[in-house]
């Protein structure tokens, strides 16, 4: 998965999120452009992971795309489009933040996602909710746009493969980022809800941070349980056969 989200500037001490952005004074990466005047940096490690993605995806195209060179071109195009989708996701956070007069320092694209560095907290829970929800909303819009292109124009071959994969990728990015726990966008939205109910932004942050810890445990535990159950099932079937 490739999560995107805005920076949790007010998280409790000791709750540094994974893939957290660089602190002031550190080099954020390689500057690749300034869309809407916002500096966009790419982590040097991004190129390594992108190359692995291209290699892996090209291997999965053997049955649908003929020719090794063509497969790698298609895989490269998909990875570029995928990260452009992540960039659009992050830019949507920044556009809404700027509409509320919140300064945006930069966007960082790292190997497994993106990060919008917004220098100030939204002034109200409603604005917090809107800034946070802008990213997942745009991901769903991009998925719907891809579906509309398929419905209207009915592309085939390589264009259809790329569009199908981008629809799936944007759906997964949007759904994943709506999970209610920091540092995901859904965690910021949960914070906004608790803030609105209690009138205390700090309480919302604490609630969303604990929800994020619970999600992290669940994301680790669920696959382990599935594997254990699968192993138990296989063992039972072997005993039954014997």
């Amino acid at each position: 998965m490739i999560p995107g989200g805005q920076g949790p500037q007010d998280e409790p001490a000791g709750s540094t999120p994974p893939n957290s952005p660089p602190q002031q004074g550190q080099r954020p990466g390689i500057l690749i452009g300034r869309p809407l005047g916002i500096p966009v940096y790419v982590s040097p490690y991004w190129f390594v992971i992108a190359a692995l993605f291209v290699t892996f995806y090209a291997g999965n195209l053997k049955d649908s795309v003929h020719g090794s060179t063509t497969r790698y071109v298609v895989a490269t195009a998909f990875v570029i489009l995928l990260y452009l989708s992540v960039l659009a996701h992050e830019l949507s956070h920044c556009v809404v933040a700027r509409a509320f007069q919140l300064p945006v320092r930069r966007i960082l694209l790292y190997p497994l996602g993106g990060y919008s560095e917004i220098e100030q907290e939204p002034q109200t829970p409603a604005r917090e909710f809107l800034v946070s929800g802008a990213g997942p909303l745009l991901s769903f819009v991009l998925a719907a746009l891809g579906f509309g292109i398929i419905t209207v124009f009915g592309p085939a071959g390589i264009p259809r493969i790329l569009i199908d994969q981008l629809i799936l990728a944007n759906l997964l990015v949007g759904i994943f980022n709506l999970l209610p726990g920091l540092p995901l966008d859904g965690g910021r939205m949960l914070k906004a809800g608790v803030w609105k109910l209690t009138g205390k932004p700090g309480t919302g942050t604490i609630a969303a941070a604990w929800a994020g810890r619970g999600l992290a445990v669940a994301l680790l535990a669920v696959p382990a349980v599935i594997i254990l159950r699968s192993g138990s099932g296989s063992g039972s079937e072997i005993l039954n056969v014997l």
Side-chain angles (χ1 to χ4, degrees):
M1 294 304 303
I2 307 180
Q6 65 182 103
Q9 295 90 344
D10 59 350
E11 287 189 28
S15 62
T16 303
N19 294 319
S20 57
Q23 302 299 318
Q24 283 188 340
Q26 294 182 340
R27 295 182 61 184
I30 301 170
L31 179 65
I32 61 170
R34 295 177 179 271
L36 305 178
I38 302 169
V40 177
Y41 293 88
V42 172
S43 166
Y45 300 105
W46 179 90
F47 297 96
V48 176
I49 301 301
L52 292 175
F53 281 170
V54 168
T55 302
F56 176 78
Y57 187 55
N60 287 340
L61 292 173
K62 289 182 179 180
D63 296 333
S64 55
V65 178
H66 300 292
S68 59
T69 300
T70 304
R71 285 197 296 269
Y72 276 95
V73 170
V74 172
T76 300
F78 169 69
V79 170
I80 291 173
L81 290 171
L82 180 59
Y83 275 98
L84 285 176
S85 296
V86 174
L87 176 58
H89 178 112
E90 297 305 322
L91 282 171
S92 66
H93 287 306
C94 298
V95 168
V96 178
R98 281 182 164 183
F100 295 136
Q101 308 302 314
L102 301 174
V104 177
R105 179 177 298 162
R106 60 197 174 197
I107 293 173
L108 174 63
L109 299 179
Y110 49 81
L112 297 179
Y115 186 97
S116 304
E117 193 168 346
I118 300 170
E119 295 184 342
Q120 296 179 11
E121 287 295 308
Q123 303 90 334
T124 67
R127 293 184 176 185
E128 174 78 82
F129 187 90
L130 292 173
V131 172
S132 302
L137 176 61
L138 184 63
S139 294
F140 292 135
V141 168
L142 291 175
L145 179 61
F147 183 77
I149 291 174
I150 289 175
T151 302
V152 174
F153 299 103
I158 291 175
R160 177 60 183 265
I161 292 172
L162 290 174
I163 294 172
D164 283 344
Q165 293 298 320
L166 282 174
I167 291 173
L168 178 60
N170 278 286
L171 284 175
L172 291 176
V173 168
I175 292 170
F176 184 83
N177 275 281
L178 285 178
L179 293 177
L182 290 175
L184 300 174
D185 297 328
R188 304 288 294 191
M189 296 166 77
L190 173 62
K191 172 195 167 183
V194 176
W195 178 2
K196 179 67 175 179
L197 290 173
T198 64
K200 298 177 180 179
T203 301
T205 299
I206 293 171
W210 277 106
R213 293 185 180 99
L215 279 173
V217 171
L219 289 174
L220 291 174
V222 170
V225 170
I226 293 174
I227 291 172
L228 288 174
R229 286 187 175 180
S230 298
S232 299
S234 299
S236 299
E237 290 174 7
I238 293 172
L239 289 175
N240 289 333
V241 170
L242 295 175

